[in-house]
C-alpha cells in the first residue's frame, strides 16, 4: 500500500464517522417535539416541557457548530501536513524519542484545547446559565482548566513516557509491559480515585448523622453490604444537576452523593438510588467493567504492536522519520471502527446492567421511590424523554427513562 492511499483511508474513516454521527443527531432531533409517553406524562408540566425542548434544540445546534468546527480543523490539519510541522518543531529541541513524543502531543493537545476552550466557556456560561444549570464561576472554570492540564501532563505524559520506554527496550513485545502498566494504573485509579483525584476538584465530607444516614445504614445492613464510607460532594458549586456514584473495592469502597441529589430527593428516593448502586456492586458489574476494559486495552495494544514498526503509518501523515508517536496517531484512527464496535458492545452490556441494578433495588427495597427519583432527576436535568432508537443504540449507556420504568413496573 502506498502512503497516499493510507492517507485517504484515514481521511475517509474520519469523514464517515462524522457523517454517521450527524445522521444520528438529525434522527434524534426529529423526535424532540414528540408527545411524551403516558407513563411519563407527570415528569413535565407544559412550561417545563417547553423548556426541555428549548434546551435540547439549543444543545443540538451548538453541537452541530462545534462538531463541524472540529472536523474542519482536523481535516485542514491533515491536508496541510500539520503532523510533520509539529514533529519537526519537537525535534528542534531534542532527539530523545520520549521527549519528542511528549512535546509533540503536548503541542497538539494544548493547541486543540486553546481552540476549543471558547466553546466550552460558551456552553457553561451561556447555555447552561440560560437554562438555570450553571453554578460555576469564571475563576473556578479556569482553575479546573489548569488542573486538567496539570493532570494530563503528569498522568497522561507519565504513562506515555513509560510505554515508549518499554517500546525502546522490548521492541514489538512492548505491549505486554504496557498492558501490565495500564492494568495496574486502572486498578489504582478505580480503588483510590475518590481519595486522589476528586479532592483536587471537589470537597467531600462524611454524611452527617440523621434520618438519611440511618436509613442508608439500615438498608446496607439488610442486604449485607458493609458500608463505612458515605460522602457528600459539593457538586452544586458547578451545576444544579444531581448524581450519585459508587467507587472502590473492599475497605476502599464508598458511596458518594451529590449535595444536589440530597436537596432534590426525599429520603426513601435517595435510598432507592443507593440500592441501585449497591446492585451494581452485588451483581459484580464494576468488576466486569474493569476486567473488560483491561482486556480490551490488551487487545488494542497487541494489535498496535503488529503495526507500530511500519514506516507506512508515519509516511501517510507526511512524516519522513518513523516514530512511535506518529504511528500511534495513524493507528488510533485506523482502529476507531473496531473501537466503535467494542463501544457498542459495552453500551449494550451497560444497559443490561442498569436493568439488573434496578431489579436489585426493586427486590431489596422498593420500585416506587426509584421510579419517582428517576422522574425527578430527569425533570431537573431537562432530559430527552423521546430519543430515537438508533441514537439510543449507538450512544446510550443507560436504558431510556420509559424503558426503566416499564421494567420496574413489571
Amino acid at each position: 500500500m502506498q502512503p497516499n492511499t493510507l492517507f485517504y483511508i484515514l481521511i475517509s474513516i474520519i469523514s464517515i464517522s462524522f457523517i454517521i454521527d450527524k445522521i444520528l443527531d438529525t434522527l434524534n432531533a426529529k423526535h424532540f417535539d414528540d408527545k411524551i409517553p403516558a407513563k411519563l406524562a407527570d415528569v413535565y408540566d407544559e412550561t417545563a416541557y417547553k423548556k426541555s425542548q428549548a434546551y435540547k434544540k439549543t444543545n443540538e445546534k451548538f453541537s452541530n457548530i462545534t462538531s463541524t468546527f472540529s472536523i474542519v480543523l482536523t481535516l485542514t490539519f491533515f491536508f496541510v501536513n500539520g503532523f510533520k510541522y509539529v514533529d519537526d518543531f519537537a525535534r528542534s529541541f531534542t532527539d530523545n524519542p520520549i521527549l519528542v513524543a511528549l512535546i509533540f502531543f503536548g503541542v497538539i493537545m494544548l493547541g486543540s484545547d486553546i481552540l476549543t476552550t471558547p466553546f466550552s466557556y460558551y456552553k457553561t456560561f451561556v447555555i447552561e446559565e440560560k437554562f438555570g444549570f450553571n453554578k460555576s464561576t469564571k475563576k473556578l472554570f479556569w482553575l479546573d482548566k489548569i488542573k486538567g492540564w496539570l493532570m494530563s501532563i503528569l498522568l497522561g505524559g507519565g504513562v506515555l513516557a513509560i510505554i515508549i520506554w518499554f517500546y525502546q527496550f522490548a521492541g514489538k513485545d512492548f505491549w505486554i509491559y504496557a498492558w501490565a502498566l495500564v492494568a495496574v494504573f486502572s486498578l489504582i485509579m478505580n480503588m483510590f480515585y475518590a481519595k486522589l483525584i476528586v479532592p483536587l476538584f471537589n470537597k467531600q465530607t462524611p454524611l452527617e448523622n440523621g434520618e438519611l444516614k440511618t436509613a442508608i445504614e439500615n438498608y446496607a445492613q439488610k442486604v449485607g453490604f458493609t458500608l463505612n464510607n458515605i460522602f457528600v460532594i459539593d457538586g452544586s458549586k458547578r451545576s444544579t444537576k444531581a448524581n450519585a456514584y459508587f467507587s472502590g473495592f473492599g475497605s476502599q469502597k464508598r458511596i458518594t452523593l451529590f449535595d444536589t441529589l440530597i436537596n432534590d430527593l426525599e429520603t426513601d428516593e435517595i435510598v432507592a438510588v443507593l440500592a441501585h448502586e449497591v446492585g451494581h456492586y452485588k451483581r459484580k458489574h464494576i468488576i466486569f467493567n474493569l476486567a473488560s476494559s483491561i482486556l480490551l486495552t490488551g487487545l488494542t495494544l497487541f494489535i498496535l504492536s503488529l503495526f507500530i514498526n511500519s514506516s507506512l503509518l508515519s509516511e501517510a501523515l507526511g512524516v519522513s522519520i518513523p516514530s512511535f508517536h506518529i504511528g500511534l496517531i495513524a493507528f488510533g484512527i485506523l482502529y476507531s471502527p473496531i473501537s466503535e464496535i467494542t463501544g457498542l458492545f459495552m453500551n449494550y452490556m451497560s444497559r443490561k446492567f442498569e436493568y439488573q441494578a434496578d431489579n436489585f433495588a426493586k427486590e431489596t427495597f422498593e420500585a416506587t421511590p426509584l421510579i419517582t427519583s428517576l422522574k425527578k432527576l430527569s425533570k431537573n436535568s431537562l432530559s430527552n424523554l423521546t430519543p430515537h432508537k438508533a441514537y439510543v443504540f449507538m450512544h446510550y449507556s443507560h436504558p431510556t427513562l420509559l424503558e426503566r420504568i416499564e421494567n420496574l413496573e413489571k
Side-chain angles (χ1 to χ4, degrees):
M1 182 185 295
Q2 295 298 314
N4 199 46
T5 303
L6 180 56
F7 173 83
Y8 283 105
I9 290 175
L10 297 175
I11 295 297
S12 298
I13 291 173
I14 294 170
S15 302
I16 291 170
S17 176
F18 173 79
I19 292 169
I20 291 174
D21 280 344
K22 288 300 103 184
I23 291 173
L24 289 170
D25 289 345
T26 301
L27 289 174
N28 199 45
K30 287 182 178 180
H31 287 257
F32 285 168
D33 294 324
D34 283 4
K35 183 179 179 181
I36 296 179
K39 288 183 182 291
L40 307 181
D42 58 340
V43 174
Y44 293 123
D45 57 29
E46 185 177 352
T47 302
Y49 186 49
K50 287 181 178 177
K51 184 179 180 181
S52 77
Q53 289 173 306
Y55 183 61
K56 289 179 289 190
K57 292 174 182 177
T58 300
N59 276 318
E60 197 257 343
K61 290 178 182 176
F62 183 70
S63 174
N64 284 337
I65 293 171
T66 56
S67 59
T68 301
F69 175 81
S70 178
I71 191 168
V72 169
L73 186 67
T74 300
L75 294 179
T76 300
F77 195 76
F78 269 77
F79 280 105
V80 300
N81 284 330
F83 294 108
K84 176 185 182 302
Y85 289 119
V86 178
D87 188 65
D88 289 343
F89 175 78
R91 293 183 184 280
S92 69
F93 292 94
T94 178
D95 292 327
N96 184 289
I98 295 176
L99 293 178
V100 169
L102 293 177
I103 295 172
F104 176 86
F105 282 113
V107 170
I108 288 180
M109 291 181 67
L110 181 61
S112 175
D113 203 57
I114 290 173
L115 290 170
T116 56
T117 291
F119 294 107
S120 177
Y121 188 91
Y122 183 88
K123 168 78 171 173
T124 301
F125 294 106
V126 177
I127 296 177
E128 295 295 291
E129 186 81 30
K130 177 182 177 181
F131 290 93
F133 292 126
N134 180 50
K135 294 296 180 183
S136 182
T137 62
K138 293 177 176 63
K139 178 182 177 181
L140 184 60
F141 176 87
W142 291 113
L143 279 175
D144 284 347
K145 181 69 66 175
I146 293 170
K147 290 175 184 178
W149 286 342
L150 291 174
M151 282 187 57
S152 296
I153 292 169
L154 294 175
L155 295 181
V159 170
L160 177 64
I162 296 173
I163 290 176
I164 296 177
W165 182 70
F166 287 154
Y167 175 69
Q168 287 181 303
F169 86 81
K172 65 179 182 180
D173 291 330
F174 84 94
W175 73 273
I176 300 172
Y177 301 93
W179 188 20
L181 171 68
V182 173
V184 171
F185 181 79
S186 298
L187 189 60
I188 291 174
M189 282 293 101
N190 200 283
M191 288 282 287
F192 301 105
Y193 176 81
K195 285 186 175 181
L196 299 176
I197 306 300
V198 174
L200 299 175
F201 297 90
N202 288 92
K203 182 180 179 182
Q204 300 174 108
T205 55
L207 179 63
E208 295 180 355
N209 293 328
E211 177 190 0
L212 177 57
K213 186 174 182 180
T214 300
I216 292 172
E217 290 175 339
N218 288 341
Y219 170 76
Q221 185 176 15
K222 172 187 172 183
V223 297
F225 183 75
T226 304
L227 183 61
N228 299 318
N229 301 311
I230 310 173
F231 286 86
V232 179
I233 191 171
D234 58 342
S236 60
K237 75 177 185 179
R238 289 185 180 83
S239 175
T240 63
K241 295 178 181 178
N243 197 9
Y245 63 88
F246 184 95
S247 60
F249 296 103
S251 62
Q252 297 299 320
K253 68 177 181 288
R254 64 164 68 189
I255 283 179
T256 302
L257 307 173
F258 278 48
D259 53 359
T260 46
L261 185 84
I262 296 175
N263 294 332
D264 291 347
L265 303 183
E266 303 295 329
T267 297
D268 63 338
E269 293 172 331
I270 296 173
V271 175
V273 171
L274 291 181
H276 171 93
E277 298 299 328
V278 172
H280 281 307
Y281 186 84
K282 287 286 189 177
R283 295 289 182 258
K284 305 292 190 296
H285 299 160
I286 297 171
I287 293 176
F288 175 88
N289 288 335
L290 180 61
S292 298
S293 174
I294 291 173
L295 288 173
L296 287 173
T297 299
L299 173 65
T300 304
L301 287 168
F302 171 70
I303 298 174
L304 172 63
S305 71
L306 301 179
F307 296 96
I308 196 66
N309 283 325
S310 173
S311 60
L312 180 63
L313 296 180
S314 297
E315 292 171 4
L317 296 183
V319 179
S320 57
I321 304 175
S323 62
F324 186 93
H325 58 275
I326 296 295
L328 190 60
I329 293 283
F331 174 81
I333 298 169
L334 289 172
Y335 188 77
S336 60
I338 299 176
S339 180
E340 191 70 36
I341 293 171
T342 57
L344 288 175
F345 171 73
M346 292 304 293
N347 275 345
Y348 166 78
M349 293 303 299
S350 178
R351 292 193 294 269
K352 183 177 179 180
F353 289 162
E354 290 301 315
Y355 284 131
Q356 292 178 4
D358 281 350
N359 290 339
F360 182 88
K362 176 172 64 175
E363 294 159 8
T364 60
F365 191 65
E366 293 180 63
T368 300
L370 182 55
I371 290 173
T372 57
S373 68
L374 291 173
K375 286 183 176 181
K376 285 183 180 180
L377 293 173
S378 294
K379 177 183 177 181
N380 293 347
S381 60
L382 299 179
S383 297
N384 181 12
L385 303 185
T386 56
H388 191 279
K389 289 183 178 180
Y391 191 89
V392 172
F393 176 76
M394 293 293 290
H395 293 302
Y396 275 38
S397 61
H398 287 53
T400 64
L401 178 61
L402 178 61
E403 290 170 335
R404 293 181 72 176
I405 290 175
E406 287 177 339
N407 175 67
L408 284 166
E409 289 180 343
K410 283 182 182 178

